[in-house]
Amino acid sequence: MSSYKMYDTRRMMNYIGFNQDLKMIAVGHKEGYMFYKTSDVLEKSRLSCGIQNLNNLGLQNCTIIERLFSSSLMIVVSQKNLRVLNVATNNIICDHQFNKPVITVRLNKQRVIVCLEDSIHIYNINDMKMMHSIVDTPLNKLGVVDLTSNSGDAYIAFPGNTKTGSVHLFDAINLVSVNTFVAHEGALACLQFNQKGDMIATASTKGTVIRVYSVPDGHLLFEFRRGVSRCVTIYSLCFSSDSKYLASSSNTETVHVFKLEKTEDVSKPEVPNDMMETAAGWLSAFNKTVSAYLPYQFMQVSELMTTERSFATAKLPCVTESNRVALVSHKSHQYLMVATNDGYVYAYQMNPEGGELDLVKQHHIGPESESLHSSPLGNVTNTRSHNDF
């Protein structure tokens, strides 16, 4: 056990997340909210928050905090109540009350989307005028939804079905449905657009396979295997700004990074078409015969033959109840950053070879962070173990 006093920040922190360009970390807690710069996580030996809740606004028990990039416009949710704030002028711009708890909020420079468990509401960000409501959506208690953050198109993605992992795409500018495609056999647990808005990553409640599809046509681009048979809960997915990497975090201590590149083996000898057709026919017959006797086991082997494993991994000091992952570019270097609801943020430096990533920074965040230590890695006196909680 480390020497500093342990605070149960897990009970105090309601929300943790990164903004659209991954330059800010937002924390929502019982007394209000806090923001941290990801650049400070990497550069400073002691981390302090840039913006905190101002008491005269009366904002407490913040369950969702969403900021429009690094601007002064932000949204604060407390259960069924949603407020739009201007933190530069310390004003509440508007106040909305819903009949059910708000589960997820996403915003870009054109639209704000508010997700309830059975509906999605679309607002114009300039005046918060209601543009459209998608009602009677499949029950979405996890609030699985995302909005493209790039200028131009504004696509919303959300589950199209509660039993199968179908993704429904909706155009939030023209207010029309665009496409629906099946991403997984099981229900969706997580989905995330890249910053350009032309790809989307998906994971099911099983959590073993992560897939990347093109937007808006829904063509499968990549398929990655997080694990062999261990089912997990995927907490978050995040593309790097150049869309060359994809990171995933879950309810395990391992964070995975996948490399988005098509592998083509140019050294393979050319095979005549008739031989390829014969081999394909034989393999198809073999597959049907084996799968008839061992359908589940064979499907696992077949899946392993067609998916890529993770390019790099990072180990968290312990398992957390919730966390968010980001791939942050800073001064020509790439970092994997993980913010956890028990009051920590970890930074790992990426390297071209992949493999196990080195932990280079660790800080406390949240309402009790000012009372605790933050320090660069390499000489850390407060590194936690599984026994600390």
Side-chain angles (χ1 to χ4, degrees):
M1 184 77 171
S2 53
S3 59
Y4 66 85
K5 182 178 179 181
M6 291 300 300
Y7 293 85
D8 194 357
T9 53
R10 291 172 295 179
R11 295 182 180 179
M12 303 182 68
M13 293 174 63
N14 299 323
Y15 176 88
I16 190 164
F18 293 86
N19 72 336
Q20 299 92 336
D21 57 7
L22 310 177
K23 292 183 178 180
M24 294 280 178
I25 303 173
V27 173
H29 54 89
K30 291 185 178 180
E31 303 300 324
Y33 58 82
M34 310 170 79
F35 285 97
Y36 302 89
K37 294 181 179 179
T38 53
S39 59
D40 288 348
V41 172
L42 298 168
E43 292 180 352
K44 294 189 175 182
S45 59
R46 184 173 177 84
L47 194 62
S48 59
C49 60
I51 298 177
Q52 295 191 62
N53 176 35
L54 302 174
N55 293 331
N56 60 327
L57 290 179
L59 300 173
Q60 294 183 334
N61 197 28
C62 299
T63 53
I64 298 174
I65 305 293
E66 288 289 332
R67 188 171 177 179
L68 182 62
F69 294 94
S70 300
S71 72
S72 58
L73 186 68
M74 60 177 288
I75 291 177
V76 177
V77 175
S78 179
Q79 300 298 332
K80 300 178 183 179
N81 181 257
L82 180 148
R83 291 186 177 101
V84 181
L85 309 180
N86 186 323
V87 294
T89 60
N90 190 24
N91 288 328
I92 297 177
I93 299 173
C94 62
D95 193 326
H96 287 272
Q97 191 76 22
F98 295 89
N99 60 357
K100 293 182 179 181
V102 176
I103 307 176
T104 306
V105 173
R106 293 286 185 267
L107 63 159
N108 60 24
K109 294 179 180 180
Q110 297 165 293
R111 294 288 186 261
V112 175
I113 63 167
V114 180
C115 176
L116 312 183
E117 66 174 16
D118 57 358
S119 60
I120 296 173
H121 305 281
I122 305 170
Y123 296 86
N124 179 22
I125 198 167
N126 293 325
D127 53 13
M128 284 303 291
K129 177 184 177 182
M130 170 80 79
M131 304 298 296
H132 185 74
S133 290
I134 308 172
V135 296
D136 297 327
T137 59
L139 193 63
N140 190 3
K141 291 186 177 182
L142 296 176
V144 179
V145 67
D146 199 24
L147 172 71
T148 53
S149 60
N150 61 307
S151 299
D153 296 324
Y155 292 125
I156 304 171
F158 60 93
N161 195 293
T162 56
K163 295 181 180 180
T164 61
S166 63
V167 177
H168 187 77
L169 295 178
F170 188 90
D171 186 339
I173 302 298
N174 299 304
L175 306 178
V176 293
S177 293
V178 175
N179 191 12
T180 301
F181 59 92
V182 178
H184 299 269
E185 290 185 4
L188 291 175
C190 189
L191 48 78
Q192 182 72 44
F193 287 109
N194 65 339
Q195 291 189 24
K196 191 177 178 181
D198 60 355
M199 291 193 290
I200 187 169
T202 64
S204 72
T205 51
K206 187 177 180 181
T208 54
V209 175
I210 295 168
R211 297 187 173 105
V212 177
Y213 294 87
S214 59
V215 173
D217 49 29
H219 292 157
L220 179 63
L221 300 176
F222 301 96
E223 187 175 78
F224 303 107
R225 175 163 289 278
R226 190 212 55 80
V228 178
S229 59
R230 183 183 180 187
C231 296
V232 302
T233 301
I234 300 294
Y235 286 148
S236 69
L237 297 166
C238 183
F239 288 90
S240 59
S241 57
D242 58 8
S243 298
K244 292 183 179 179
Y245 297 95
L246 173 68
S248 73
S249 65
S250 66
N251 61 336
T252 71
E253 69 282 359
T254 304
V255 179
H256 295 263
V257 180
F258 306 96
K259 195 171 185 179
L260 277 65
E261 63 176 5
K262 292 292 185 181
T263 56
E264 296 182 3
D265 191 351
V266 296
S267 63
K268 288 182 179 180
E270 292 187 4
V271 181
N273 289 336
D274 56 346
M275 290 182 64
M276 289 291 291
E277 291 175 1
T278 302
W282 177 86
L283 183 59
S284 175
F286 176 76
N287 287 353
K288 290 177 181 179
T289 303
V290 176
S291 59
Y293 292 97
L294 299 169
Y296 177 72
Q297 292 86 341
F298 179 77
M299 195 167 72
Q300 281 190 313
V301 173
S302 178
E303 221 174 75
L304 280 170
M305 292 168 61
T306 59
T307 56
E308 297 290 334
R309 302 301 297 271
S310 55
F311 166 76
T313 58
K315 292 289 185 181
L316 297 175
C318 65
V319 176
T320 60
E321 292 178 0
S322 182
N323 59 59
R324 292 295 179 268
V325 67
L327 287 166
V328 178
S329 297
H330 182 68
K331 293 183 177 180
S332 301
H333 293 287
Q334 188 104 284
Y335 297 88
L336 174 71
M337 201 169 289
V338 186
T340 67
N341 75 323
D342 57 0
Y344 285 83
V345 58
Y346 304 99
Y348 302 80
Q349 186 161 6
M350 293 282 290
N351 62 73
E353 293 78 24
E356 184 72 24
L357 301 181
D358 293 328
L359 178 62
V360 294
K361 285 279 188 169
Q362 169 183 309
H363 292 280
H364 294 281
I365 55 176
E368 297 294 342
S369 59
E370 296 300 318
S371 303
L372 302 175
H373 303 291
S374 295
S375 60
L377 265 286
N379 185 24
V380 179
T381 59
N382 59 356
T383 301
R384 302 174 300 162
S385 69
H386 293 270
N387 297 324
D388 287 338
F389 296 100

